[in-house]
Short mmCIF file of all heavy atoms in Angstrom, two decimals:
data_model
loop_
_atom_site.label_atom_id
_atom_site.label_comp_id
_atom_site.label_asym_id
_atom_site.label_seq_id
_atom_site.Cartn_x
_atom_site.Cartn_y
_atom_site.Cartn_z
N ARG A 26 -31.29 -23.51 5.65
CA ARG A 26 -30.70 -24.74 6.15
C ARG A 26 -30.90 -25.85 5.10
O ARG A 26 -30.03 -26.67 4.88
CB ARG A 26 -31.40 -25.12 7.45
CG ARG A 26 -30.74 -26.19 8.18
CD ARG A 26 -31.19 -26.13 9.62
NE ARG A 26 -30.63 -27.21 10.38
CZ ARG A 26 -30.76 -27.29 11.71
NH1 ARG A 26 -31.38 -26.34 12.35
NH2 ARG A 26 -30.25 -28.30 12.36
N ALA A 30 -36.19 -27.47 -3.27
CA ALA A 30 -36.18 -28.68 -4.08
C ALA A 30 -35.84 -28.47 -5.54
O ALA A 30 -35.40 -29.33 -6.22
CB ALA A 30 -37.52 -29.38 -3.92
N ARG A 42 -28.96 -21.39 -1.05
CA ARG A 42 -28.86 -21.62 0.36
C ARG A 42 -28.08 -20.54 1.08
O ARG A 42 -28.41 -20.18 2.23
CB ARG A 42 -28.14 -22.96 0.64
CG ARG A 42 -29.02 -24.19 0.59
CD ARG A 42 -28.30 -25.37 1.18
NE ARG A 42 -27.96 -25.16 2.59
CZ ARG A 42 -26.92 -25.75 3.22
NH1 ARG A 42 -26.18 -26.60 2.59
NH2 ARG A 42 -26.70 -25.49 4.50
N LYS A 48 -35.16 -17.06 -6.78
CA LYS A 48 -35.80 -17.19 -8.09
C LYS A 48 -37.11 -16.37 -8.14
O LYS A 48 -37.91 -16.43 -7.23
CB LYS A 48 -36.12 -18.64 -8.39
CG LYS A 48 -36.62 -18.80 -9.83
CD LYS A 48 -36.87 -20.23 -10.17
CE LYS A 48 -38.14 -20.69 -9.48
NZ LYS A 48 -38.44 -22.10 -9.75
N ALA A 51 -38.90 -18.85 -14.03
CA ALA A 51 -37.99 -19.77 -14.69
C ALA A 51 -36.84 -18.98 -15.36
O ALA A 51 -37.07 -18.16 -16.23
CB ALA A 51 -38.71 -20.59 -15.73
N ARG A 154 -32.47 -13.96 -23.35
CA ARG A 154 -32.66 -15.01 -24.32
C ARG A 154 -33.87 -15.83 -23.93
O ARG A 154 -34.01 -16.23 -22.76
CB ARG A 154 -31.45 -15.92 -24.39
CG ARG A 154 -30.65 -15.63 -25.64
CD ARG A 154 -29.24 -16.12 -25.59
NE ARG A 154 -28.40 -14.96 -25.75
CZ ARG A 154 -27.14 -15.04 -26.11
NH1 ARG A 154 -26.58 -16.20 -26.34
NH2 ARG A 154 -26.43 -13.94 -26.28
N ARG A 158 -35.14 -24.09 -22.52
CA ARG A 158 -35.13 -24.70 -21.20
C ARG A 158 -34.07 -24.06 -20.30
O ARG A 158 -32.92 -24.49 -20.30
CB ARG A 158 -34.85 -26.20 -21.30
CG ARG A 158 -34.87 -26.90 -19.97
CD ARG A 158 -35.32 -28.33 -20.07
NE ARG A 158 -34.19 -29.24 -20.27
CZ ARG A 158 -33.46 -29.72 -19.28
NH1 ARG A 158 -33.72 -29.41 -18.05
NH2 ARG A 158 -32.46 -30.58 -19.56
N ARG A 165 -27.70 -21.01 -16.90
CA ARG A 165 -28.46 -20.81 -18.13
C ARG A 165 -29.79 -20.15 -17.81
O ARG A 165 -30.81 -20.85 -17.66
CB ARG A 165 -28.68 -22.11 -18.88
CG ARG A 165 -29.47 -21.96 -20.18
CD ARG A 165 -29.45 -23.20 -21.01
NE ARG A 165 -28.08 -23.61 -21.28
CZ ARG A 165 -27.37 -23.11 -22.26
NH1 ARG A 165 -27.86 -22.22 -23.09
NH2 ARG A 165 -26.12 -23.49 -22.43
N GLY A 166 -29.79 -18.88 -17.70
CA GLY A 166 -31.02 -18.15 -17.39
C GLY A 166 -31.60 -17.52 -18.62
O GLY A 166 -31.00 -17.58 -19.74
N PRO A 218 -24.14 -18.85 -34.32
CA PRO A 218 -25.10 -18.03 -35.07
C PRO A 218 -24.67 -16.57 -35.22
O PRO A 218 -25.27 -15.85 -35.99
CB PRO A 218 -26.38 -18.15 -34.23
CG PRO A 218 -25.93 -18.47 -32.88
CD PRO A 218 -24.65 -19.26 -33.04
N GLU A 453 -18.57 -22.58 -20.46
CA GLU A 453 -18.16 -21.45 -21.28
C GLU A 453 -18.45 -20.16 -20.58
O GLU A 453 -19.61 -19.84 -20.30
CB GLU A 453 -18.88 -21.51 -22.65
CG GLU A 453 -18.48 -20.38 -23.57
CD GLU A 453 -19.32 -20.34 -24.81
OE1 GLU A 453 -20.09 -21.31 -25.07
OE2 GLU A 453 -19.21 -19.36 -25.57
N ARG A 493 -22.74 -15.65 -15.29
CA ARG A 493 -22.35 -17.07 -15.44
C ARG A 493 -20.95 -17.32 -14.87
O ARG A 493 -20.73 -18.40 -14.29
CB ARG A 493 -22.33 -17.44 -16.93
CG ARG A 493 -22.03 -18.90 -17.12
CD ARG A 493 -21.95 -19.28 -18.60
NE ARG A 493 -23.21 -19.79 -19.09
CZ ARG A 493 -23.35 -20.32 -20.31
NH1 ARG A 493 -22.30 -20.39 -21.12
NH2 ARG A 493 -24.50 -20.76 -20.70
N ARG A 557 -26.45 -18.70 17.90
CA ARG A 557 -25.51 -19.56 18.55
C ARG A 557 -24.28 -19.74 17.68
O ARG A 557 -24.32 -19.60 16.47
CB ARG A 557 -26.20 -20.93 18.82
CG ARG A 557 -27.39 -20.84 19.75
CD ARG A 557 -28.06 -22.15 19.91
NE ARG A 557 -27.13 -23.16 20.43
CZ ARG A 557 -26.86 -23.27 21.72
NH1 ARG A 557 -27.39 -22.49 22.60
NH2 ARG A 557 -26.01 -24.21 22.13
N GLY A 559 -22.63 -22.29 16.63
CA GLY A 559 -22.71 -23.29 15.56
C GLY A 559 -23.34 -22.73 14.30
O GLY A 559 -22.86 -22.95 13.19
N VAL A 560 -24.41 -21.97 14.50
CA VAL A 560 -25.11 -21.39 13.35
C VAL A 560 -24.19 -20.44 12.61
O VAL A 560 -24.11 -20.45 11.40
CB VAL A 560 -26.36 -20.63 13.85
CG1 VAL A 560 -27.01 -19.84 12.70
CG2 VAL A 560 -27.35 -21.60 14.50
N ASP A 566 -19.08 -20.65 6.70
CA ASP A 566 -18.57 -21.62 5.73
C ASP A 566 -19.46 -21.60 4.47
O ASP A 566 -18.97 -21.68 3.35
CB ASP A 566 -18.55 -23.05 6.30
CG ASP A 566 -17.44 -23.20 7.35
OD1 ASP A 566 -16.53 -22.32 7.41
OD2 ASP A 566 -17.48 -24.18 8.10
N ARG A 573 -11.66 -16.05 8.17
CA ARG A 573 -12.58 -15.90 9.30
C ARG A 573 -11.82 -15.54 10.59
O ARG A 573 -10.83 -16.18 10.94
CB ARG A 573 -13.35 -17.20 9.55
CG ARG A 573 -14.50 -16.99 10.55
CD ARG A 573 -15.19 -18.30 10.84
NE ARG A 573 -14.45 -19.07 11.83
CZ ARG A 573 -14.57 -20.41 11.93
NH1 ARG A 573 -15.34 -21.12 11.12
NH2 ARG A 573 -13.86 -21.05 12.86
N GLU A 587 -9.11 -15.49 16.93
CA GLU A 587 -8.82 -16.72 16.23
C GLU A 587 -8.82 -16.47 14.75
O GLU A 587 -9.78 -15.84 14.20
CB GLU A 587 -9.87 -17.77 16.64
CG GLU A 587 -9.59 -19.13 16.17
CD GLU A 587 -10.77 -20.01 16.57
OE1 GLU A 587 -11.11 -20.02 17.78
OE2 GLU A 587 -11.34 -20.66 15.65
P C B 11 -41.30 -21.03 0.30
OP1 C B 11 -40.90 -20.76 -1.08
OP2 C B 11 -42.65 -21.62 0.58
"O5'" C B 11 -40.22 -21.95 0.96
"C5'" C B 11 -38.81 -21.78 0.67
"C4'" C B 11 -38.01 -22.83 1.35
"O4'" C B 11 -38.15 -22.62 2.81
"C3'" C B 11 -38.45 -24.27 1.17
"O3'" C B 11 -37.98 -24.81 -0.05
"C2'" C B 11 -37.82 -24.94 2.39
"O2'" C B 11 -36.44 -25.08 2.24
"C1'" C B 11 -38.11 -23.86 3.47
N1 C B 11 -39.40 -24.08 4.12
C2 C B 11 -39.49 -25.14 5.09
O2 C B 11 -38.47 -25.79 5.32
N3 C B 11 -40.66 -25.35 5.72
C4 C B 11 -41.72 -24.61 5.43
N4 C B 11 -42.87 -24.85 6.08
C5 C B 11 -41.67 -23.56 4.44
C6 C B 11 -40.49 -23.35 3.81
P G B 12 -38.82 -25.97 -0.69
OP1 G B 12 -38.20 -26.22 -2.00
OP2 G B 12 -40.28 -25.63 -0.63
"O5'" G B 12 -38.57 -27.21 0.26
"C5'" G B 12 -37.27 -27.76 0.39
"C4'" G B 12 -37.26 -28.90 1.34
"O4'" G B 12 -37.62 -28.43 2.63
"C3'" G B 12 -38.30 -29.99 1.03
"O3'" G B 12 -37.85 -30.86 0.04
"C2'" G B 12 -38.44 -30.64 2.39
"O2'" G B 12 -37.37 -31.49 2.67
"C1'" G B 12 -38.38 -29.43 3.32
N9 G B 12 -39.74 -28.91 3.61
C8 G B 12 -40.37 -27.87 2.99
N7 G B 12 -41.57 -27.65 3.48
C5 G B 12 -41.71 -28.60 4.45
C6 G B 12 -42.80 -28.86 5.35
O6 G B 12 -43.90 -28.28 5.41
N1 G B 12 -42.54 -29.93 6.20
C2 G B 12 -41.36 -30.65 6.20
N2 G B 12 -41.30 -31.62 7.09
N3 G B 12 -40.35 -30.41 5.41
C4 G B 12 -40.60 -29.40 4.56
P C B 13 -38.95 -31.59 -0.89
OP1 C B 13 -38.28 -32.80 -1.40
OP2 C B 13 -39.48 -30.58 -1.82
"O5'" C B 13 -40.09 -31.92 0.14
"C5'" C B 13 -40.84 -33.12 0.00
"C4'" C B 13 -41.24 -33.64 1.36
"O4'" C B 13 -41.33 -32.54 2.31
"C3'" C B 13 -42.62 -34.28 1.41
"O3'" C B 13 -42.59 -35.62 0.94
"C2'" C B 13 -42.93 -34.21 2.89
"O2'" C B 13 -42.26 -35.18 3.62
"C1'" C B 13 -42.37 -32.83 3.23
N1 C B 13 -43.38 -31.75 3.18
C2 C B 13 -44.41 -31.74 4.12
O2 C B 13 -44.40 -32.62 5.01
N3 C B 13 -45.36 -30.76 4.08
C4 C B 13 -45.31 -29.87 3.13
N4 C B 13 -46.23 -28.91 3.10
C5 C B 13 -44.28 -29.83 2.12
C6 C B 13 -43.34 -30.81 2.18
P G B 25 -43.43 -31.42 14.89
OP1 G B 25 -43.03 -31.85 16.27
OP2 G B 25 -44.17 -30.15 14.69
"O5'" G B 25 -42.08 -31.32 14.00
"C5'" G B 25 -41.17 -32.39 14.01
"C4'" G B 25 -40.07 -32.12 13.01
"O4'" G B 25 -40.63 -32.14 11.65
"C3'" G B 25 -39.41 -30.74 13.12
"O3'" G B 25 -38.44 -30.67 14.11
"C2'" G B 25 -38.83 -30.59 11.70
"O2'" G B 25 -37.64 -31.34 11.58
"C1'" G B 25 -39.93 -31.21 10.85
N9 G B 25 -40.90 -30.19 10.42
C8 G B 25 -42.11 -29.87 10.95
N7 G B 25 -42.70 -28.87 10.34
C5 G B 25 -41.80 -28.48 9.35
C6 G B 25 -41.89 -27.46 8.38
O6 G B 25 -42.84 -26.68 8.18
N1 G B 25 -40.77 -27.40 7.57
C2 G B 25 -39.67 -28.26 7.73
N2 G B 25 -38.67 -28.02 6.84
N3 G B 25 -39.58 -29.21 8.62
C4 G B 25 -40.68 -29.28 9.36
P C B 26 -38.14 -29.29 14.83
OP1 C B 26 -37.14 -29.51 15.86
OP2 C B 26 -39.46 -28.71 15.21
"O5'" C B 26 -37.54 -28.37 13.67
"C5'" C B 26 -36.19 -28.60 13.22
"C4'" C B 26 -35.88 -27.73 12.03
"O4'" C B 26 -36.88 -27.96 11.01
"C3'" C B 26 -35.96 -26.22 12.25
"O3'" C B 26 -34.82 -25.68 12.89
"C2'" C B 26 -36.11 -25.72 10.79
"O2'" C B 26 -34.89 -25.81 10.10
"C1'" C B 26 -37.09 -26.78 10.23
N1 C B 26 -38.47 -26.30 10.37
C2 C B 26 -38.92 -25.34 9.47
O2 C B 26 -38.15 -24.94 8.58
N3 C B 26 -40.18 -24.86 9.57
C4 C B 26 -40.97 -25.32 10.52
N4 C B 26 -42.21 -24.83 10.57
C5 C B 26 -40.56 -26.30 11.44
C6 C B 26 -39.31 -26.79 11.35
P G B 27 -34.98 -24.48 13.90
OP1 G B 27 -33.63 -24.12 14.36
OP2 G B 27 -36.05 -24.80 14.84
"O5'" G B 27 -35.53 -23.30 12.95
"C5'" G B 27 -34.63 -22.66 12.06
"C4'" G B 27 -35.41 -21.70 11.18
"O4'" G B 27 -36.51 -22.41 10.54
"C3'" G B 27 -36.12 -20.55 11.91
"O3'" G B 27 -35.24 -19.47 12.13
"C2'" G B 27 -37.23 -20.22 10.90
"O2'" G B 27 -36.74 -19.46 9.82
"C1'" G B 27 -37.63 -21.57 10.43
N9 G B 27 -38.72 -22.13 11.27
C8 G B 27 -38.64 -23.18 12.15
N7 G B 27 -39.76 -23.44 12.73
C5 G B 27 -40.64 -22.51 12.22
C6 G B 27 -42.01 -22.29 12.49
O6 G B 27 -42.75 -22.92 13.25
N1 G B 27 -42.53 -21.24 11.74
C2 G B 27 -41.80 -20.49 10.87
N2 G B 27 -42.48 -19.49 10.26
N3 G B 27 -40.55 -20.67 10.59
C4 G B 27 -40.03 -21.69 11.30
P U B 34 -28.74 -20.59 32.99
OP1 U B 34 -27.92 -21.12 34.10
OP2 U B 34 -28.66 -19.17 32.60
"O5'" U B 34 -28.49 -21.53 31.74
"C5'" U B 34 -27.31 -21.39 30.98
"C4'" U B 34 -27.41 -22.22 29.76
"O4'" U B 34 -28.64 -21.89 29.03
"C3'" U B 34 -26.31 -22.04 28.75
"O3'" U B 34 -25.17 -22.85 29.08
"C2'" U B 34 -26.96 -22.43 27.44
"O2'" U B 34 -26.96 -23.81 27.27
"C1'" U B 34 -28.41 -21.95 27.64
N1 U B 34 -28.67 -20.61 27.07
C2 U B 34 -28.60 -20.46 25.70
O2 U B 34 -28.35 -21.39 24.94
N3 U B 34 -28.87 -19.19 25.24
C4 U B 34 -29.15 -18.10 25.98
O4 U B 34 -29.37 -17.01 25.46
C5 U B 34 -29.20 -18.33 27.41
C6 U B 34 -28.95 -19.55 27.89
P G B 36 -20.33 -23.06 23.84
OP1 G B 36 -20.77 -24.44 23.65
OP2 G B 36 -19.36 -22.71 24.91
"O5'" G B 36 -19.75 -22.46 22.48
"C5'" G B 36 -20.40 -22.82 21.25
"C4'" G B 36 -19.36 -23.40 20.32
"O4'" G B 36 -18.40 -22.33 20.03
"C3'" G B 36 -18.56 -24.55 20.91
"O3'" G B 36 -18.19 -25.43 19.84
"C2'" G B 36 -17.33 -23.88 21.45
"O2'" G B 36 -16.19 -24.73 21.46
"C1'" G B 36 -17.10 -22.80 20.38
N9 G B 36 -16.34 -21.66 20.85
C8 G B 36 -16.52 -20.87 21.96
N7 G B 36 -15.64 -19.91 22.06
C5 G B 36 -14.85 -20.10 20.93
C6 G B 36 -13.68 -19.38 20.51
O6 G B 36 -13.17 -18.40 21.07
N1 G B 36 -13.18 -19.90 19.33
C2 G B 36 -13.69 -20.95 18.67
N2 G B 36 -13.04 -21.30 17.56
N3 G B 36 -14.72 -21.65 19.06
C4 G B 36 -15.24 -21.15 20.17
P G B 37 -19.20 -26.51 19.27
OP1 G B 37 -20.29 -26.83 20.26
OP2 G B 37 -18.42 -27.57 18.65
"O5'" G B 37 -19.83 -25.56 18.14
"C5'" G B 37 -21.24 -25.58 17.86
"C4'" G B 37 -21.44 -26.09 16.47
"O4'" G B 37 -20.57 -25.34 15.56
"C3'" G B 37 -21.14 -27.56 16.25
"O3'" G B 37 -22.06 -28.06 15.29
"C2'" G B 37 -19.75 -27.55 15.62
"O2'" G B 37 -19.55 -28.66 14.78
"C1'" G B 37 -19.82 -26.25 14.82
N9 G B 37 -18.53 -25.65 14.47
C8 G B 37 -17.49 -25.45 15.32
N7 G B 37 -16.47 -24.87 14.71
C5 G B 37 -16.88 -24.74 13.42
C6 G B 37 -16.21 -24.19 12.28
O6 G B 37 -15.10 -23.70 12.21
N1 G B 37 -17.02 -24.26 11.15
C2 G B 37 -18.27 -24.75 11.11
N2 G B 37 -18.88 -24.73 9.94
N3 G B 37 -18.92 -25.26 12.13
C4 G B 37 -18.17 -25.22 13.25
P G B 38 -23.53 -28.46 15.97
OP1 G B 38 -23.50 -28.83 17.39
OP2 G B 38 -24.02 -29.41 14.93
"O5'" G B 38 -24.28 -27.06 15.89
"C5'" G B 38 -24.50 -26.47 14.62
"C4'" G B 38 -25.82 -25.72 14.66
"O4'" G B 38 -26.05 -25.16 13.40
"C3'" G B 38 -27.04 -26.61 14.97
"O3'" G B 38 -27.99 -25.77 15.58
"C2'" G B 38 -27.50 -26.99 13.56
"O2'" G B 38 -28.90 -27.20 13.51
"C1'" G B 38 -27.21 -25.71 12.80
N9 G B 38 -26.91 -25.76 11.35
C8 G B 38 -26.47 -26.75 10.53
N7 G B 38 -26.35 -26.37 9.25
C5 G B 38 -26.73 -25.07 9.30
C6 G B 38 -26.77 -24.09 8.25
O6 G B 38 -26.51 -24.19 7.07
N1 G B 38 -27.24 -22.83 8.72
C2 G B 38 -27.55 -22.58 10.02
N2 G B 38 -27.98 -21.36 10.30
N3 G B 38 -27.49 -23.48 11.02
C4 G B 38 -27.07 -24.69 10.56
P A B 39 -28.12 -25.60 17.13
OP1 A B 39 -29.17 -24.56 17.28
OP2 A B 39 -26.75 -25.47 17.68
"O5'" A B 39 -28.64 -26.99 17.69
"C5'" A B 39 -29.87 -27.06 18.38
"C4'" A B 39 -29.59 -27.30 19.83
"O4'" A B 39 -28.92 -26.19 20.44
"C3'" A B 39 -30.85 -27.48 20.67
"O3'" A B 39 -31.32 -28.83 20.57
"C2'" A B 39 -30.38 -27.13 22.06
"O2'" A B 39 -29.71 -28.18 22.66
"C1'" A B 39 -29.37 -26.02 21.77
N9 A B 39 -29.92 -24.66 21.89
C8 A B 39 -30.08 -23.71 20.92
N7 A B 39 -30.59 -22.58 21.34
C5 A B 39 -30.78 -22.80 22.70
C6 A B 39 -31.30 -22.00 23.74
N6 A B 39 -31.74 -20.73 23.53
N1 A B 39 -31.37 -22.53 24.97
C2 A B 39 -30.94 -23.78 25.16
N3 A B 39 -30.44 -24.62 24.29
C4 A B 39 -30.37 -24.10 23.06
P C B 69 -42.53 -20.68 -14.99
OP1 C B 69 -41.64 -19.52 -14.82
OP2 C B 69 -42.85 -21.22 -16.28
"O5'" C B 69 -41.96 -21.88 -14.07
"C5'" C B 69 -41.44 -21.58 -12.78
"C4'" C B 69 -41.23 -22.85 -12.01
"O4'" C B 69 -42.45 -23.66 -11.96
"C3'" C B 69 -40.24 -23.85 -12.61
"O3'" C B 69 -38.88 -23.46 -12.41
"C2'" C B 69 -40.56 -25.13 -11.87
"O2'" C B 69 -40.11 -25.07 -10.53
"C1'" C B 69 -42.09 -25.04 -11.85
N1 C B 69 -42.72 -25.79 -12.96
C2 C B 69 -42.80 -27.17 -12.84
O2 C B 69 -42.36 -27.71 -11.79
N3 C B 69 -43.32 -27.89 -13.85
C4 C B 69 -43.77 -27.28 -14.94
N4 C B 69 -44.31 -28.03 -15.90
C5 C B 69 -43.70 -25.86 -15.09
C6 C B 69 -43.16 -25.15 -14.07
P C B 70 -37.77 -23.94 -13.42
OP1 C B 70 -36.56 -23.12 -13.14
OP2 C B 70 -38.31 -23.99 -14.79
"O5'" C B 70 -37.51 -25.43 -12.94
"C5'" C B 70 -36.97 -25.68 -11.65
"C4'" C B 70 -36.93 -27.18 -11.40
"O4'" C B 70 -38.28 -27.71 -11.47
"C3'" C B 70 -36.16 -27.98 -12.44
"O3'" C B 70 -34.76 -27.97 -12.22
"C2'" C B 70 -36.76 -29.40 -12.26
"O2'" C B 70 -36.23 -29.99 -11.10
"C1'" C B 70 -38.23 -29.04 -12.03
N1 C B 70 -39.05 -29.09 -13.24
C2 C B 70 -39.44 -30.32 -13.72
O2 C B 70 -39.07 -31.35 -13.11
N3 C B 70 -40.20 -30.40 -14.84
C4 C B 70 -40.51 -29.30 -15.48
N4 C B 70 -41.30 -29.42 -16.59
C5 C B 70 -40.15 -28.00 -15.03
C6 C B 70 -39.38 -27.94 -13.92
P C B 72 -31.08 -32.41 -16.17
OP1 C B 72 -29.67 -32.60 -15.84
OP2 C B 72 -31.55 -31.11 -16.71
"O5'" C B 72 -31.59 -33.57 -17.15
"C5'" C B 72 -31.33 -34.94 -16.86
"C4'" C B 72 -31.93 -35.81 -17.94
"O4'" C B 72 -33.39 -35.74 -17.88
"C3'" C B 72 -31.63 -35.38 -19.39
"O3'" C B 72 -30.37 -35.78 -19.82
"C2'" C B 72 -32.76 -36.10 -20.14
"O2'" C B 72 -32.50 -37.47 -20.28
"C1'" C B 72 -33.95 -35.90 -19.17
N1 C B 72 -34.69 -34.65 -19.53
C2 C B 72 -35.59 -34.73 -20.56
O2 C B 72 -35.76 -35.79 -21.18
N3 C B 72 -36.30 -33.62 -20.91
C4 C B 72 -36.09 -32.48 -20.21
N4 C B 72 -36.80 -31.42 -20.56
C5 C B 72 -35.18 -32.39 -19.16
C6 C B 72 -34.48 -33.50 -18.82
P G B 73 -29.61 -34.88 -20.90
OP1 G B 73 -28.31 -35.55 -21.15
OP2 G B 73 -29.68 -33.47 -20.45
"O5'" G B 73 -30.57 -35.00 -22.19
"C5'" G B 73 -30.52 -36.19 -22.95
"C4'" G B 73 -31.58 -36.16 -24.02
"O4'" G B 73 -32.85 -35.76 -23.46
"C3'" G B 73 -31.41 -35.09 -25.13
"O3'" G B 73 -30.45 -35.47 -26.10
"C2'" G B 73 -32.82 -34.99 -25.71
"O2'" G B 73 -33.07 -36.09 -26.55
"C1'" G B 73 -33.65 -35.12 -24.43
N9 G B 73 -34.05 -33.79 -23.96
C8 G B 73 -33.57 -33.11 -22.86
N7 G B 73 -34.13 -31.94 -22.71
C5 G B 73 -35.02 -31.83 -23.76
C6 G B 73 -35.91 -30.77 -24.13
O6 G B 73 -36.07 -29.70 -23.55
N1 G B 73 -36.63 -31.10 -25.27
C2 G B 73 -36.50 -32.26 -25.99
N2 G B 73 -37.27 -32.39 -27.07
N3 G B 73 -35.67 -33.26 -25.65
C4 G B 73 -34.96 -32.98 -24.55
P A B 74 -29.61 -34.36 -26.88
OP1 A B 74 -28.71 -35.06 -27.78
OP2 A B 74 -29.06 -33.36 -25.88
"O5'" A B 74 -30.75 -33.63 -27.76
"C5'" A B 74 -31.21 -34.23 -28.94
"C4'" A B 74 -32.21 -33.29 -29.61
"O4'" A B 74 -33.29 -33.06 -28.72
"C3'" A B 74 -31.67 -31.88 -29.94
"O3'" A B 74 -30.99 -31.84 -31.19
"C2'" A B 74 -32.97 -31.06 -29.95
"O2'" A B 74 -33.67 -31.21 -31.13
"C1'" A B 74 -33.72 -31.72 -28.79
N9 A B 74 -33.43 -31.06 -27.51
C8 A B 74 -32.59 -31.49 -26.54
N7 A B 74 -32.51 -30.67 -25.52
C5 A B 74 -33.35 -29.62 -25.84
C6 A B 74 -33.73 -28.46 -25.17
N6 A B 74 -33.24 -28.10 -23.97
N1 A B 74 -34.59 -27.62 -25.77
C2 A B 74 -35.04 -27.97 -27.01
N3 A B 74 -34.81 -29.05 -27.72
C4 A B 74 -33.95 -29.85 -27.09
P C B 75 -29.64 -30.98 -31.31
OP1 C B 75 -29.25 -30.98 -32.74
OP2 C B 75 -28.68 -31.47 -30.30
"O5'" C B 75 -30.12 -29.52 -30.89
"C5'" C B 75 -30.89 -28.72 -31.78
"C4'" C B 75 -31.27 -27.44 -31.09
"O4'" C B 75 -31.92 -27.79 -29.82
"C3'" C B 75 -30.16 -26.53 -30.65
"O3'" C B 75 -29.66 -25.71 -31.69
"C2'" C B 75 -30.78 -25.73 -29.53
"O2'" C B 75 -31.64 -24.74 -30.04
"C1'" C B 75 -31.63 -26.80 -28.85
N1 C B 75 -30.88 -27.44 -27.73
C2 C B 75 -30.95 -26.80 -26.47
O2 C B 75 -31.61 -25.77 -26.34
N3 C B 75 -30.27 -27.36 -25.44
C4 C B 75 -29.57 -28.47 -25.61
N4 C B 75 -28.94 -28.95 -24.55
C5 C B 75 -29.46 -29.13 -26.89
C6 C B 75 -30.13 -28.57 -27.89
P C B 76 -28.11 -25.24 -31.72
OP1 C B 76 -27.96 -24.34 -32.83
OP2 C B 76 -27.24 -26.41 -31.57
"O5'" C B 76 -27.99 -24.39 -30.36
"C5'" C B 76 -28.33 -23.01 -30.38
"C4'" C B 76 -28.36 -22.47 -28.97
"O4'" C B 76 -28.83 -23.50 -28.06
"C3'" C B 76 -27.03 -22.10 -28.39
"O3'" C B 76 -26.65 -20.80 -28.78
"C2'" C B 76 -27.29 -22.18 -26.90
"O2'" C B 76 -27.95 -21.04 -26.41
"C1'" C B 76 -28.25 -23.37 -26.79
N1 C B 76 -27.57 -24.63 -26.46
C2 C B 76 -27.15 -24.84 -25.15
O2 C B 76 -27.34 -23.92 -24.31
N3 C B 76 -26.50 -25.98 -24.81
C4 C B 76 -26.31 -26.92 -25.73
N4 C B 76 -25.73 -28.04 -25.38
C5 C B 76 -26.74 -26.73 -27.11
C6 C B 76 -27.35 -25.58 -27.41
P A B 77 -25.03 -20.40 -28.86
OP1 A B 77 -24.96 -19.61 -30.04
OP2 A B 77 -24.11 -21.51 -28.66
"O5'" A B 77 -24.90 -19.50 -27.56
"C5'" A B 77 -24.24 -18.31 -27.66
"C4'" A B 77 -23.28 -18.20 -26.50
"O4'" A B 77 -23.85 -17.35 -25.50
"C3'" A B 77 -22.99 -19.55 -25.87
"O3'" A B 77 -21.62 -19.81 -25.83
"C2'" A B 77 -23.60 -19.49 -24.50
"O2'" A B 77 -22.71 -19.96 -23.53
"C1'" A B 77 -23.81 -18.00 -24.24
N9 A B 77 -25.09 -17.88 -23.56
C8 A B 77 -26.34 -18.04 -24.06
N7 A B 77 -27.27 -17.90 -23.17
C5 A B 77 -26.61 -17.69 -21.99
C6 A B 77 -27.01 -17.50 -20.67
N6 A B 77 -28.28 -17.51 -20.32
N1 A B 77 -26.06 -17.33 -19.71
C2 A B 77 -24.75 -17.35 -20.09
N3 A B 77 -24.26 -17.52 -21.33
C4 A B 77 -25.21 -17.69 -22.22
#
Side-chain angles (χ1 to χ4, degrees):
Chain A
R26 193 161 175 171
R42 274 194 63 206
K48 188 178 73 180
R154 255 161 239 200
R158 182 150 90 85
R165 180 171 303 277
E453 180 187 351
R493 182 183 268 188
R557 297 176 59 81
V560 173
D566 289 344
R573 191 184 80 202
E587 190 183 306

